[in-house]
Amino acid sequence: MNPDLELVKKINGLAGKVRPFDLAMDFVTRYGHWAFVIYGLLLWFTPGKDREERRRSCLLIFFGVLLASAISFIIGKIWKRPRPFTKDSSIWNFTGHKANSSFPSNHTMNSALIAMELLQYRFKGCFLMTLLSAVLAFSRIFAGMHYPTDLLGGLTVAGLVHFIMHCPKVVRFFNPLSLIASVASDFIVLRIRGR
């Protein structure tokens, strides 16, 4: 008996019982990651006295997600863990997700990495985005796409990358880079506005 698979079966077994909940979980698991993209754009473009700090964090997040995704890609090539819905036919894959590698959960990893950064600086909406990260992670099990240990793997990679991105040498590297990116984006916005 595999407790990881049994937990997925129990959680996925809730699907199909309450239609509004099913629709909400389906929406979150398919499109929830876009909330983090939109939030990042708001963080970058919203004016305010903490704008430079927010922009540096956005840049750290962007490169952190790239690094985490590279680590996840390598792990997926080394260990091609089958998704739960391929291991047990009673698990309903209602999103129609393809049967690629399950470990780690990229959605959990990236959203957790973003939440860690937001919480560190207590940016507006950080607790809401952390809650959304948790709901997104749960939705991946609910949809039969991930095991709980896939989520733990994603959290572990996110924590490791967050630690790396906040090493003093890395932060010092990103300070001038964020200034250049900030000036460049402001210039582009001014050009678009025709000023």
Side-chain angles (χ1 to χ4, degrees), residues 16 21 36 40 61 65 104 116 127 140 143 149 161 171 174:
F21 188 73
F36 293 91
I61 288 169
V65 166
M116 288 173 193
F127 295 111
R140 306 299 285 180
T149 49
V161 170
V171 171
F174 276 100

Side-chain angles (χ1 to χ4, degrees), residues 103-179:
F103 186 90
S105 167
N106 290 328
H107 284 77
T108 301
M109 176 186 71
N110 291 330
S111 66
L113 180 60
I114 294 167
M116 288 173 193
E117 183 72 17
L118 299 178
L119 286 170
Q120 179 164 340
Y121 293 101
R122 294 293 193 265
F123 290 133
K124 286 181 183 175
C126 64
F127 295 111
L128 180 64
M129 297 309 287
T130 302
L131 177 63
L132 179 58
S133 176
V135 172
L136 180 58
F138 174 80
S139 76
R140 306 299 285 180
I141 297 176
F142 183 83
M145 290 188 281
H146 284 291
Y147 300 94
T149 49
D150 295 340
L151 274 54
L152 290 174
L155 284 170
T156 303
V157 173
L160 174 68
V161 170
H162 181 71
F163 175 78
I164 291 168
M165 297 306 288
H166 284 278
C167 289
K169 286 183 180 178
V170 175
V171 171
R172 277 196 301 274
F173 172 78
F174 276 100
N175 283 337
L177 194 60
S178 69
L179 182 62

Side-chain angles (χ1 to χ4, degrees), residues 173-190:
F173 172 78
F174 276 100
N175 283 337
L177 194 60
S178 69
L179 182 62
I180 292 165
S182 185
V183 169
S185 76
D186 287 343
F187 176 77
I188 291 167
V189 168
L190 288 174

Side-chain angles (χ1 to χ4, degrees), residues 11-77:
I11 293 172
N12 180 256
L14 301 170
K17 292 186 168 55
V18 181
R19 183 76 174 145
F21 188 73
D22 289 350
L23 293 172
M25 286 294 101
D26 184 49
F27 184 82
V28 169
T29 202
R30 288 177 194 257
Y31 309 111
H33 63 282
W34 286 105
F36 293 91
V37 174
I38 294 165
Y39 183 88
L41 291 170
L42 290 172
L43 211 58
W44 184 273
F45 287 106
T46 302
K49 61 182 182 213
D50 64 338
R51 187 178 76 165
E52 294 311 314
E53 184 179 49
R54 284 185 282 116
R55 287 185 169 183
R56 184 175 55 82
S57 285
C58 284
L59 210 58
L60 282 169
I61 288 169
F62 177 74
F63 283 100
V65 166
L66 290 179
L67 177 59
S69 297
I71 292 169
S72 174
F73 178 79
I74 292 166
I75 292 170
K77 289 294 179 187

Side-chain angles (χ1 to χ4, degrees), residues 78-123:
I78 294 169
W79 182 28
K80 295 185 180 182
R81 184 183 200 184
R83 290 193 181 263
F85 64 80
T86 65
K87 298 295 282 180
D88 191 308
S89 60
S90 70
I91 296 172
W92 180 25
N93 174 21
F94 57 81
T95 64
H97 198 283
K98 60 184 177 180
N100 54 359
S101 183
S102 182
F103 186 90
S105 167
N106 290 328
H107 284 77
T108 301
M109 176 186 71
N110 291 330
S111 66
L113 180 60
I114 294 167
M116 288 173 193
E117 183 72 17
L118 299 178
L119 286 170
Q120 179 164 340
Y121 293 101
R122 294 293 193 265
F123 290 133

